[in-house]
């Protein structure tokens, strides 16, 4: 596991990975590189925008719930719940989904123009969304980083069952196709880099909009926590959707 080490002094804490750039494959036993087997901390710059992607049910929201207090978290589920709360029970969500999506995009755009650490829940199957976020963040001098959860179709479906919510079949299939292509390219880049003993690995051309990419798998997604360096004060409360 590159660039990981325990601090030399002070109270005990988890090993840290200072993420500034490059491709970091931490998916577990299938990979050739060493991966953490105990809790570890992903450390990002204070102004970072970190996009957490993966299939519905892969554990994105669970990982985001470990966010530190100074970070703002953008989760479309929060928008869904807020919109649902002001609509009559008899009205199907599908009828006001465009309004919910508009509120989500507006909330996201507002936070991208801010300054503090930002964590974004995104399916990851639509490259144009990630590029738009990178451009919006870049105009404020903020780097965009990607954390991608690779847990597979069966495990994601099991995760949906355990949370009691299932993504529509067509939407899940669409996300699966898009993420499968992206993960295939990232896996080839990681394998090629490992074979050539390149460290750190460069970010591959398929995600040039990202300053870094971290790949987490089933064994490691539950071990990761977050930290943002150089934050002088707690971030203001997010305005919400």
């Amino acid at each position: 596991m590159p660039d990981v080490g325990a601090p030399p002094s002070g109270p005990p804490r988890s090993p840290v990975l200072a993420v500034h750039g490059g491709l970091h494959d931490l998916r577990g036993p299938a990979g050739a590189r060493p991966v953490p087997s105990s809790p570890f901390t992903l450390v990002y710059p204070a102004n970072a925008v970190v996009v957490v992607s993966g299939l519905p049910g892969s554990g994105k929201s669970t990982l985001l719930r470990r966010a530190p207090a100074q970070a703002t978290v953008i989760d479309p589920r929060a928008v869904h719940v807020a919109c649902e709360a002001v609509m009559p029970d008899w009205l199907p969500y599908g009828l006001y989904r465009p309004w919910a999506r508009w509120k989500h995009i507006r909330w996201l755009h507002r936070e991208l123009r801010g300054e503090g650490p930002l964590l974004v829940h995104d399916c990851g199957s639509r490259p144009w969304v990630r590029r738009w976020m990178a451009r919006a963040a870049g105009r404020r001098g903020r780097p965009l980083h990607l954390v991608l959860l690779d847990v597979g179709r069966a495990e994601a479906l099991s995760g949906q069952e355990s949370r009691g919510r299932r993504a529509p079949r067509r939407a899940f299939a669409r996300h699966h196709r898009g993420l499968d292509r992206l993960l295939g390219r990232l896996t080839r880049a990681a394998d090629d880099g490992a074979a050539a003993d390149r460290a750190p690995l460069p970010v591959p051309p398929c995600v040039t909009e990202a300053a870094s990419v971290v790949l987490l798998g089933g064994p490691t997604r539950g071990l990761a926590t977050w930290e943002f360096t150089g934050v002088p004060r707690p971030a203001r409360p997010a305005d919400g959707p």
Side-chain angles (χ1 to χ4, degrees):
M1 180 176 176
D3 303 327
V4 176
S9 60
R13 57 170 293 184
S14 302
V16 301
L17 169 60
V19 186
H20 300 291
L23 171 62
H24 306 271
D25 189 353
L26 308 179
R27 284 178 289 184
R33 290 178 172 273
V35 297
S37 57
S38 60
F40 63 97
T41 303
L42 299 172
V43 181
Y44 290 92
N47 66 339
V49 176
V50 184
V51 178
V52 180
S53 297
L55 286 171
S58 62
K60 299 185 295 297
S61 294
T62 301
L63 181 56
L64 289 171
R65 281 196 287 271
R66 303 182 202 129
Q70 74 266 31
T72 297
V73 176
I74 302 287
D75 190 330
R77 180 65 186 170
V79 181
H80 184 142
V81 171
C83 292
E84 201 172 47
V86 299
M87 290 294 177
D89 293 339
W90 54 263
L91 189 64
Y93 176 69
L95 292 181
Y96 56 90
R97 183 184 291 115
W99 177 55
R101 287 180 175 172
W102 174 79
K103 286 179 68 67
H104 171 70
I105 292 297
R106 188 178 68 166
W107 180 27
L108 177 56
H109 186 250
R110 185 170 67 239
E111 296 299 336
L112 286 169
R113 290 181 289 143
E115 297 178 352
L118 180 63
L119 288 160
V120 181
H121 179 298
D122 179 65
C123 68
S125 61
R126 297 168 295 189
W128 68 268
V129 173
R130 194 167 52 247
R131 290 167 189 151
W132 168 74
M133 287 191 284
R135 287 194 299 270
R139 283 193 284 268
R140 302 288 294 182
R142 309 178 69 181
L144 182 136
H145 299 263
L146 176 62
V147 174
L148 189 55
L149 306 185
D150 181 8
V151 300
R153 178 188 180 91
E155 195 167 351
L157 290 172
S158 175
Q160 292 182 51
E161 291 290 347
S162 65
R163 74 185 184 187
R165 297 193 315 274
R166 294 206 63 167
R169 184 176 300 178
R170 290 178 61 184
F172 184 86
R174 183 173 64 250
H175 293 324
H176 184 260
R177 287 193 300 271
L179 282 169
D180 198 49
R181 286 193 297 269
L182 177 59
L183 282 166
R185 293 168 182 166
L186 292 172
T187 297
R188 286 191 293 273
D191 290 346
D192 291 346
D197 198 24
R198 299 177 65 186
L201 302 179
V203 173
C206 60
V207 283
T208 52
E209 65 275 8
S212 74
V213 180
V214 173
L215 302 176
L216 298 178
T220 54
R221 61 178 173 164
L223 300 175
T225 58
W226 308 97
E227 185 176 315
F228 293 88
T229 60
V231 181
R233 62 185 186 283
R236 62 174 176 79
D239 294 333

